[in-house]
Amino acid sequence: MTGNPYLDISALDSSLRVRAFGMGQGWFATARGWEELSVWRTLHNLSPIDASNRELQEMSILQFLLEGSIVVSAVVTLLTNFSVLLCFTQSAELRSHVPGIFILNLSISNIILALINMPVTFLGVASSAKPLRDQLCRAVSFTETFTTCNAMLSMAALSVDRWVAVVFPLRYSSKMRYRDAFVIVAYSWLHSLAFSLTQLMMRWGAYSHTYASCTLHLDVEEASQRSAYASFAALFYCSSFALCLFVLCFAYLKVLRVARSHCKRIDVITVQTLLLLVDIHPSVKERCLAQQRKRRQQAAKKICIFIGSFIICFSPYVITRLVELLPSVDIPRHWGIATKCLVYAKASSDPFVYCLLRHQYRKVLVSIIRRIVRKDQFFLSAHSTSSMWDTTDENFPDRIT
């Protein structure tokens, strides 16, 4: 070999299109790829092997971050959603509320997702290969389709409940009863089962290298069903994500409008009261005006959190899945896994968004923690007392002698 110590360009056919890359399986070369690596080496004073090692190092760091995000999402999802279930078992007041049915349905879906789908995705990212057999992978993809769709519909049901409570406060008890809540949950389950069972029967659940998980995916052997698969996937994401986003926006924007109208009425009454009270201290007036501004901003912040978290966590994944249906589009693997991690992050943030930050749930959690601490203190004090009596009994014969 003469000339370049890494590659002899003269030995290659000039008609070859090339790209030099090293992924632990050897070097493959083309003239264009060699030119790119030569420019890289000239600019950074690196050999092609060093450049490849640096690229592999960056990829390993990115893969480590993705793996860590999946582990953190799984742990937080299990802790927070089990905390929600614990609050319901310990509080009769929470069980008496109708929205609790929707929150329980959402928490159960998130727990199933964390117990089944997140570990499989972690194994797929870590091994860069299919972690399960075909039949198990189809079962895992079935649970992912069901839990994801059911969670979205549960969020839409919670938004409808808030809309009825704020817009029709006097008729809320007659419009939203336990029977109505169970009917909504039953529809959510039937809607989710319809798509997940269709996916299972049509064998459209498989391992996707792009998302490193067992999900809605068309195998190469089933390429003849591509048009039917694309129609099913588009219908699924439109009837789950798009429908729920429309319901969320409609319900919460109506709630925001009513909240602003109430704030305006309260502001008018407050201003009139401040004008009548001439001798009131200026600090009291400033405090009242600050409370007015806080009331106006509080409703908008909560609604932005509800709608914003849904859009940020679900829209990148859904848009990527829809773009993937185009035959000429190739989705980068790390981007696909990153969008999957956003969906998992939504499952871990739902308990904070909908319940754990509310006063009632915090009160129940604090009481549970206090009970546990008291039991531990009682056990420690009883153990120290028994050990003290044991020591006294052992030393008693010595005192007699």
Side-chain angles (χ1 to χ4, degrees):
M1 236 185 203
T2 58
N4 194 289
Y6 299 101
L7 182 67
D8 189 2
I9 298 295
S10 61
L12 294 174
D13 184 22
S14 59
S15 63
L16 254 153
R17 295 186 61 238
V18 202
R19 191 173 184 114
F21 63 97
M23 297 294 292
Q25 299 176 353
W27 285 88
F28 300 88
T30 69
R32 185 178 176 184
W34 176 250
E35 289 176 1
E36 293 176 358
L37 286 176
S38 299
V39 171
W40 174 272
R41 182 176 57 178
T42 303
L43 292 176
H44 300 275
N45 195 21
L46 290 173
S47 66
I49 295 178
D50 293 336
S52 176
N53 291 335
R54 176 172 292 187
E55 183 181 357
L56 288 173
Q57 185 178 4
E58 292 176 356
M59 291 176 63
S60 63
I61 293 173
L62 182 58
Q63 182 173 348
F64 174 77
L65 292 176
L66 293 174
E67 293 173 0
S69 65
I70 295 172
V71 172
V72 171
S73 297
V75 173
V76 175
T77 300
L78 291 175
L79 289 177
T80 54
N81 286 279
F82 272 121
S83 298
V84 173
L85 298 182
L86 184 63
C87 289
F88 272 94
T89 57
Q90 298 296 320
S91 175
E93 181 183 0
L94 293 178
R95 292 194 299 271
S96 64
H97 296 163
V98 174
I101 304 297
F102 306 136
I103 292 176
L104 280 177
N105 191 37
L106 178 62
S107 297
I108 292 172
S109 297
N110 292 336
I111 289 172
I112 295 173
L113 192 71
L115 289 175
I116 298 177
N117 297 97
M118 292 187 190
V120 174
T121 304
F122 174 79
L123 294 175
V125 175
S127 61
S128 297
K130 183 164 65 174
L132 300 174
R133 295 180 179 178
D134 292 338
Q135 294 180 351
L136 287 177
C137 200
R138 290 193 192 100
V140 171
S141 64
F142 169 86
T143 59
E144 183 193 74
T145 301
F146 175 80
T147 54
T148 304
C149 185
N150 190 35
M152 290 183 184
L153 292 173
S154 298
M155 297 173 207
L158 284 168
S159 67
V160 171
D161 176 80
R162 289 295 89 203
W163 172 62
V164 174
V166 174
V167 179
F168 309 102
L170 299 179
R171 290 182 287 174
Y172 174 77
S173 59
S174 61
K175 284 181 173 293
M176 192 62 68
R177 295 166 294 181
Y178 267 104
R179 184 182 64 185
D180 302 322
F182 280 116
V183 169
I184 294 174
V185 171
Y187 167 76
S188 175
W189 278 61
L190 290 175
H191 184 105
S192 304
L193 280 174
F195 283 98
S196 55
L197 286 175
T198 303
Q199 170 188 322
L200 186 64
M201 289 186 296
M202 297 299 293
R203 303 169 68 90
W204 287 339
Y207 175 76
S208 173
H209 180 74
T210 304
Y211 305 97
S213 61
C214 297
T215 182
L216 179 64
H217 181 67
L218 185 66
D219 277 333
V220 180
E221 297 83 3
E222 308 291 337
S224 60
Q225 301 178 355
R226 185 171 184 83
S227 59
Y229 167 78
S231 301
F232 172 80
L235 179 63
F236 168 67
Y237 291 117
C238 289
S239 63
S240 58
F241 172 77
L243 175 64
C244 294
L245 180 60
F246 173 77
V247 173
L248 284 170
C249 293
F250 173 82
Y252 283 127
L253 290 179
K254 289 288 186 180
V255 170
L256 181 62
R257 182 182 298 179
V258 173
R260 283 182 174 178
S261 65
H262 288 335
C263 287
K264 286 181 181 179
R265 294 174 187 174
I266 295 172
D267 292 344
V268 170
I269 296 173
T270 304
V271 171
Q272 291 176 353
T273 305
L274 292 176
L275 291 175
L276 292 174
L277 298 175
V278 181
D279 298 333
I280 194 171
H281 196 272
S283 63
V284 178
K285 290 184 178 181
E286 292 178 0
R287 192 181 307 165
C288 292
L289 295 175
Q291 289 179 354
Q292 287 180 357
R293 291 191 296 269
K294 186 178 180 181
R295 278 195 301 267
R296 285 195 296 266
Q297 295 174 359
Q298 190 174 9
K301 284 181 180 179
K302 288 183 178 179
I303 290 172
C304 288
I305 291 173
F306 292 145
I307 300 177
S309 62
F310 186 87
I311 293 175
I312 291 173
C313 293
F314 283 117
S315 60
Y317 179 73
V318 173
I319 293 172
T320 303
R321 296 307 301 260
L322 292 176
V323 171
E324 187 185 29
L325 298 177
L326 300 175
S328 59
V329 176
D330 186 19
I331 305 298
R333 184 172 187 267
H334 288 109
W335 170 254
I337 299 173
T339 58
K340 200 76 172 179
C341 291
L342 284 176
V343 175
Y344 293 157
K346 186 68 173 71
S348 62
S349 64
D350 283 339
F352 297 105
V353 172
Y354 290 102
C355 46
L356 288 182
L357 295 180
R358 294 173 58 185
H359 175 70
Q360 295 172 334
Y361 288 87
R362 285 185 295 175
K363 182 180 177 181
V364 175
L365 279 178
V366 169
S367 65
I368 293 172
I369 293 172
R370 284 179 178 174
R371 257 183 271 162
I372 295 173
V373 171
R374 286 174 184 173
K375 286 182 180 179
D376 291 341
Q377 290 178 349
F378 177 77
F379 175 77
L380 290 174
S381 62
H383 179 72
S384 60
T385 304
S386 62
S387 61
M388 182 185 67
W389 282 109
D390 292 341
T391 305
T392 305
D393 293 340
E394 290 176 358
N395 295 332
F396 186 73
D398 297 335
R399 292 177 185 176
I400 296 176
T401 56

